[in-house]
Amino acid sequence: MFQRNNVSWTIMICGSTENGFYLDGFRFFYEMLDSGVLPDKFTFSAIIQNCIGLDCLELGKMVHAQVIVRGFACHTFVSTALLNMYSKLGEIENSSLVFRLMTEKNEVSWNAMISGFTSNGLYLEAFDLFLRMKDEGITPNMYTVVSVSKAVGKLGDVDKGTEVHQVASNLGVECTVLVGTALIDMYSKCGSLNDARSIFDKNFDACGVNMPWNSMISGYSQCGCSQEALELYVTMCQEDIKADLYTFGSIFNAIAALKNLRFGKEVHAMVLKYGDGLMVTNVQNALADAYAKCGSLEDVVKVFDRMKERDIVSWTTMVTAYAHCSEWDEALFTFSRMREDGFAPNHFTFSSVFASCASLCLLDYGRQVHGILCKAGLDSDMCIESALIDMYAKCGGIADAGKVFKRIPSPDNVSLTAMISAYAQHGFTEDALDLFMRMEQLGKKPTAVTLLCVLSACSHGGMVTEGLRYFKLMEEKYGSELDMEHYACVVDLLGRVGRLDDAMEFVRSMPINPNEIIWQTLLGACRIHGNIELAEVAAMKVLSARPEHSAAYVLLSNTYIETGSLADGHFLRDVMKKRGVKKEPGYSWISIEGGIHKFYSGDERHPEKDGIYTTLEDLNQKVKSMVCARSLSCTM
């Protein structure tokens, strides 16, 4: 071109911006200025978009300076672009300043400012500005409603939501897909599913677009109405409305909540039917999480191994799945693989790793992971601190647990409960009860789990009177609902000190039917104190519910044997064999050079089993040789 004006330069800047070549856009802008061609409002708007694309505040401020120098500071079009830029770059104060200084504002300016407040977490300010906009006579449009709906959803205020809904109805945009979807999402996040469903049924139940369906399904899933989410998805399929990755993300979350493995496999098949386009990382993560919560570890591994791309959520899901399925050594191995692949663990990852360390009693390994946690700067996270306390307590490091707890400036219910539990596990009953009293003094309301730990502490400390008093106060003072574990704790409390008749009377007076946990707890106490009569009653109760319950057989047979009734004990063992009831094999584990080796009784799965059994046979032969040599020396 022999001659270039601001239109041709602006076209080049816009083209660079639209195609993501933001630095080229700035090069064109500087060449334009050097050539003496003055920018206009369209040029400034385009170059401001470049600043957003580059996520560069400093360049944005330089362009702002040019706007002022060139006399465009009071131009509504340019000022709107500037306030939008500042809000998207996280400088909401500068955005507000530009908005206040504008001599003329149109609906685009108001919408940009409302959207800016919403995207920066200032939800109440967004709603207040929406009210101001109406008061100043500016008519909102559908984009206003969408932006303010997001803010109200975050506030969770259904009254404000009703006000926004009324504006949408007055404007006649309630039935549009964009606004209707936003309103359904808003009401769902406010917990008003009936209002959300009312909008859906009125306008979109016969709609061929999936956005409103996705919003309603997501609302059900997020509000814990997982069954309704699945039922609506089935209807969506019957209406031949194509699901997308947002649909499947919500559905897999609902499946995980319901632990519905069969439905999970059916939906998984639907995803595969739609093709690889839906097998993106987010959907695969949700699928893996659903399988994990359904207890299907094998399927989790298959999904994980087939992932083309993995993120931190993928790795954390795999670590957590192994931990929840008691494959703690695999959880730690996967954690190591994750770090080798360059992924930094988050607090969810650490929680599962600490749970695995606790279950394996790997104190040294747990301390190493604690060091990694500190380097990552996550050691002040309250959830992690509670997991740390639990890990140290279960690994025998009660002093380390105490140190972690003392470093918490303002302990919450979770951390206080974790420390009370730690004291209870180690028999420090008075410390547990003192901390519980401190918890009450701090105004923290104890949860059912907290009170379970208090009962456990009383049980381990033989403090029957205190334990019964706390049990009585659970509903009267603390308003905590009693479940079977609380009743089992009282049975254990009485049984440990030999008050078996009182324990039996307590079981008979329970307002709910005792389950196998209660009877097995009583059976264990009967074995300790040698009460065959009650042991037989408790064992029969357990076996009537679960005839294959190996622990009940073993406890009762041991009670017979330890009280001198050898014949009855051996007879019961014979019954176990005839019925095919097998005692779950015991196992042990050791840590060698960071690797975990697990050994089962009669293990045939260990990769080095041949060498292990050969060594055991060699040891057996040496023992036999030593016994023979000793026998010979005794006869000479």
Side-chain angles (χ1 to χ4, degrees):
M1 293 179 69
F2 295 105
Q3 289 186 338
R4 298 168 179 164
N5 57 20
N6 64 358
V7 176
S8 50
W9 282 106
T10 300
I11 289 172
M12 291 305 298
I13 294 169
C14 287
S16 300
T17 303
E18 290 171 1
N19 289 280
F21 300 116
Y22 304 116
L23 290 176
D24 288 341
F26 263 97
R27 180 171 58 81
F28 288 129
F29 180 66
Y30 285 126
E31 287 179 6
M32 174 184 179
L33 295 178
D34 286 342
S35 66
V37 177
L38 298 178
D40 61 10
K41 62 180 182 179
F42 301 106
T43 316
F44 278 121
S45 177
I47 201 64
I48 288 169
Q49 288 301 314
N50 256 342
C51 298
I52 297 172
L54 289 168
D55 192 24
C56 185
L57 180 62
E58 292 305 314
L59 283 175
K61 289 181 176 179
M62 290 170 62
V63 171
H64 192 175
Q66 282 290 321
V67 168
I68 295 171
V69 169
R70 305 290 178 181
F72 285 88
C74 295
H75 199 289
T76 303
F77 186 78
V78 176
S79 294
T80 301
L82 276 172
L83 73 86
N84 181 56
M85 175 198 73
Y86 279 125
S87 68
K88 288 186 175 176
L89 295 180
E91 290 287 318
I92 194 65
E93 290 184 3
N94 285 339
S95 184
S96 297
L97 180 61
V98 172
F99 183 76
R100 287 197 302 270
L101 293 175
M102 290 175 67
T103 53
E104 292 185 14
K105 304 179 182 77
N106 58 19
E107 63 181 28
V108 179
S109 314
W110 286 92
N111 288 348
M113 198 64 241
I114 291 169
S115 176
F117 279 137
T118 302
S119 61
N120 283 274
L122 300 172
Y123 309 121
L124 188 58
E125 287 82 350
F127 183 76
D128 289 342
L129 192 62
F130 166 71
L131 297 180
R132 265 187 61 199
M133 178 183 185
K134 292 197 301 171
D135 290 343
E136 294 193 18
I138 307 295
T139 303
N141 59 20
M142 61 188 300
Y143 302 105
T144 320
V145 174
V146 169
S147 291
V148 77
S149 293
K150 291 179 182 177
V152 172
K154 292 292 185 180
L155 290 170
D157 190 327
V158 72
D159 291 332
K160 290 181 172 61
T162 303
E163 197 166 348
V164 173
H165 186 186
Q166 185 61 52
V167 170
S169 298
N170 293 340
L171 292 171
V173 296
E174 176 190 13
C175 58
T176 64
V177 170
L178 191 64
V179 173
T181 300
L183 290 174
I184 292 169
D185 184 64
M186 175 193 73
Y187 275 128
S188 297
K189 288 177 178 172
C190 290
S192 184
L193 288 175
N194 288 337
D195 287 319
R197 187 62 191 252
S198 176
I199 294 172
F200 177 81
D201 289 341
K202 180 181 176 182
N203 302 303
F204 305 108
D205 62 343
C207 173
V209 182
N210 65 13
M211 283 176 58
W213 291 81
N214 286 349
S215 186
M216 195 67 243
I217 290 171
S218 175
Y220 277 135
S221 179
Q222 290 172 5
C223 291
C225 299
S226 302
Q227 186 61 43
E228 288 82 352
L230 299 191
E231 289 171 1
L232 189 58
Y233 168 72
V234 171
T235 305
M236 182 179 180
C237 294
Q238 292 169 345
E239 295 289 333
D240 202 27
I241 297 170
K242 187 174 181 180
D244 59 17
L245 58 94
Y246 301 105
T247 321
F248 289 119
S250 297
I251 287 300
F252 285 130
N253 288 337
I255 289 167
L258 292 171
K259 297 180 172 55
N260 191 332
L261 180 59
R262 182 188 61 79
F263 199 88
K265 287 182 177 291
E266 291 176 2
V267 178
H268 186 183
M270 289 294 294
V271 176
L272 295 174
K273 180 182 176 182
Y274 280 127
D276 291 339
L278 283 178
M279 288 305 282
V280 296
T281 305
N282 287 346
V283 173
Q284 289 175 308
N285 288 342
L287 174 60
D289 181 63
Y291 277 134
K293 287 174 180 170
C294 290
S296 183
L297 182 59
E298 181 183 355
D299 288 309
V300 183
V301 174
K302 286 180 183 176
V303 173
F304 183 78
D305 289 343
R306 291 170 184 168
M307 283 184 175
K308 294 178 181 178
E309 293 183 6
R310 297 169 183 152
D311 57 16
I312 183 59
V313 178
S314 316
W315 284 99
T316 299
T317 301
M318 195 69 251
V319 172
T320 303
Y322 277 128
H324 283 176
C325 293
S326 302
E327 295 287 343
W328 304 300
D329 48 344
E330 289 294 335
L332 299 183
F333 175 69
T334 305
F335 174 69
S336 297
R337 279 180 58 201
M338 180 191 81
R339 296 186 65 235
E340 287 169 2
D341 278 15
F343 288 92
N346 58 26
H347 59 283
F348 295 110
T349 326
F350 279 115
S351 292
S352 294
V353 170
F354 286 132
S356 299
C357 292
S359 299
L360 293 170
C361 296
L362 296 177
L363 181 58
D364 289 339
Y365 192 92
R367 283 174 174 156
Q368 292 175 30
V369 178
H370 188 181
I372 297 169
L373 174 77
C374 293
K375 287 181 181 178
L378 295 174
D379 52 320
S380 60
D381 187 289
M382 198 73 76
C383 294
I384 295 293
E385 288 168 332
S386 301
L388 261 176
I389 292 168
D390 184 65
M391 183 273 293
Y392 277 126
K394 288 179 178 174
C395 291
I398 187 66
D400 292 309
K403 287 177 183 176
V404 173
F405 181 74
K406 287 176 182 176
R407 286 199 296 266
I408 302 175
S410 300
D412 63 359
N413 276 18
V414 179
S415 53
L416 284 161
T417 299
M419 197 63 225
I420 291 170
S421 176
Y423 283 137
Q425 291 169 34
H426 287 264
F428 297 118
T429 305
E430 291 185 2
D431 292 308
L433 297 183
D434 287 345
L435 186 56
F436 179 68
M437 290 176 62
R438 179 184 161 195
M439 182 178 183
E440 289 190 294
Q441 291 166 357
L442 290 171
K444 308 286 186 182
K445 184 180 179 181
T447 64
V449 177
T450 315
L451 292 163
L452 189 64
C453 294
V454 171
L455 290 176
S456 177
C458 293
S459 178
H460 284 89
M463 301 175 70
V464 178
T465 304
E466 290 82 355
L468 293 175
R469 182 171 64 86
Y470 282 119
F471 179 79
K472 185 178 179 181
L473 289 173
M474 284 184 66
E475 284 186 312
E476 294 179 359
K477 180 179 178 181
Y478 305 117
S480 178
E481 291 187 11
L482 301 172
D483 59 30
M484 212 56 84
E485 289 185 330
H486 293 98
Y487 287 106
C489 248
V490 175
V491 173
D492 184 61
L493 176 73
L494 295 168
R496 278 177 183 264
V497 296
R499 292 173 55 176
L500 299 177
D501 290 336
D502 291 337
M504 188 65 187
E505 183 60 33
F506 175 80
V507 172
R508 287 176 178 148
S509 65
M510 284 173 54
I512 53 177
N513 291 326
N515 64 5
E516 64 182 73
I517 296 174
I518 300 293
W519 293 115
Q520 190 172 335
T521 303
L522 182 60
L523 177 55
C526 291
R527 181 204 165 184
I528 294 171
H529 296 285
N531 190 320
I532 294 177
E533 183 181 351
L534 279 183
E536 289 175 335
V537 172
M540 290 306 105
K541 290 289 187 180
V542 175
L543 295 174
S544 64
R546 284 183 57 194
E548 78 288 356
H549 201 294
S550 61
Y553 281 104
V554 172
L555 282 170
L556 182 56
S557 64
N558 286 343
T559 306
Y560 283 136
I561 293 168
E562 290 166 9
T563 54
S565 301
L566 298 179
D568 290 329
H570 292 307
F571 172 76
L572 197 56
R573 299 272 172 109
D574 290 336
V575 171
M576 287 178 67
K577 290 178 183 178
K578 289 177 182 177
R579 293 183 179 178
V581 178
K582 294 183 179 179
K583 180 179 179 294
E584 290 188 13
Y587 63 90
S588 58
W589 57 85
I590 58 174
S591 174
I592 301 175
E593 296 180 353
I596 309 297
H597 293 266
K598 188 184 291 184
F599 304 95
Y600 287 89
S601 175
D603 191 2
E604 291 293 330
R605 297 189 303 168
H606 196 282
E608 298 181 37
K609 67 178 186 302
D610 294 335
I612 292 169
Y613 284 122
T614 300
T615 302
L616 283 174
E617 184 58 32
D618 290 342
L619 289 172
N620 282 332
Q621 293 300 325
K622 288 179 181 179
V623 170
K624 289 178 182 178
S625 299
M626 291 172 65
V627 170
C628 290
R630 186 172 181 181
S631 298
L632 287 171
S633 65
C634 289
T635 56
M636 291 177 63

